[in-house]
Amino acid sequence: QVELAESGGGLVQSGGSLRLSCAASGSMFSMYILSWYRQTPGNERELVALINRGGGTNYADSVKGRFTISRDIPNHTLYLQMDSLKPEDTAVYYCNAKTIDDYRLGGSGYWGQGTQVTVSS
């Protein structure tokens, strides 16, 4: 069992930066596959970035070179550094934690409540 709480969203101008944080409670933080998703009204959540248990990362093509996912294992915190933000990055951003079984079997894992990011043009 893990609880997730995002913070760091807000309003930023195009070209600006934000850093999102996701604080996790519970144990075994390093054993989860951690991700950031985003969702806009009327659309499904889309995967933005993922960091696996070994520290390897993957990014959606739309954010490659602009966003960086990282984790602080001792402090049980997941981050998303977002640079060169664009209006199309506007969305609610969610962090997600999956066990390896969740990942392999399509389980939803655990979700935070989300944080709004708005990028003005």
Side-chain angles (χ1 to χ4, degrees), residues 4-65:
L4 304 172
E6 302 95 337
S7 61
L11 174 64
V12 64
Q13 288 189 333
S14 182
S17 297
L18 281 174
R19 189 175 81 155
L20 305 183
S21 299
C22 175
S25 66
S27 61
M28 309 292 286
F29 178 74
S30 63
M31 298 305 294
Y32 287 94
I33 298 164
L34 303 168
S35 305
W36 287 98
Y37 286 74
R38 65 187 180 188
Q39 188 173 25
T40 54
N43 294 304
E44 293 186 357
R45 288 183 190 180
E46 64 167 346
L47 179 64
V48 174
L50 175 152
I51 185 165
N52 62 32
R53 296 180 300 173
T57 58
N58 282 300
Y59 298 91
D61 287 344
S62 59
V63 307
K64 279 181 183 176

Side-chain angles (χ1 to χ4, degrees), residues 6-120:
E6 302 95 337
S7 61
L11 174 64
V12 64
Q13 288 189 333
S14 182
S17 297
L18 281 174
R19 189 175 81 155
L20 305 183
S21 299
C22 175
S25 66
S27 61
M28 309 292 286
F29 178 74
S30 63
M31 298 305 294
Y32 287 94
I33 298 164
L34 303 168
S35 305
W36 287 98
Y37 286 74
R38 65 187 180 188
Q39 188 173 25
T40 54
N43 294 304
E44 293 186 357
R45 288 183 190 180
E46 64 167 346
L47 179 64
V48 174
L50 175 152
I51 185 165
N52 62 32
R53 296 180 300 173
T57 58
N58 282 300
Y59 298 91
D61 287 344
S62 59
V63 307
K64 279 181 183 176
R66 300 189 298 121
F67 290 11
T68 303
I69 188 171
S70 62
R71 61 185 180 174
D72 181 343
I73 294 175
N75 289 302
H76 290 199
T77 305
L78 177 70
Y79 299 103
L80 185 68
Q81 177 67 40
M82 305 187 294
D83 298 317
S84 301
L85 281 161
K86 304 175 181 180
E88 51 263 44
D89 295 318
T90 295
V92 178
Y93 284 72
Y94 299 88
C95 62
N96 175 266
K98 289 186 175 70
T99 65
I100 188 64
D101 285 341
D102 288 331
Y103 188 80
R104 289 173 176 168
L105 301 176
S108 60
Y110 302 95
W111 293 95
Q113 82 288 352
T115 186
Q116 176 71 47
V117 172
T118 302
V119 184
S120 63

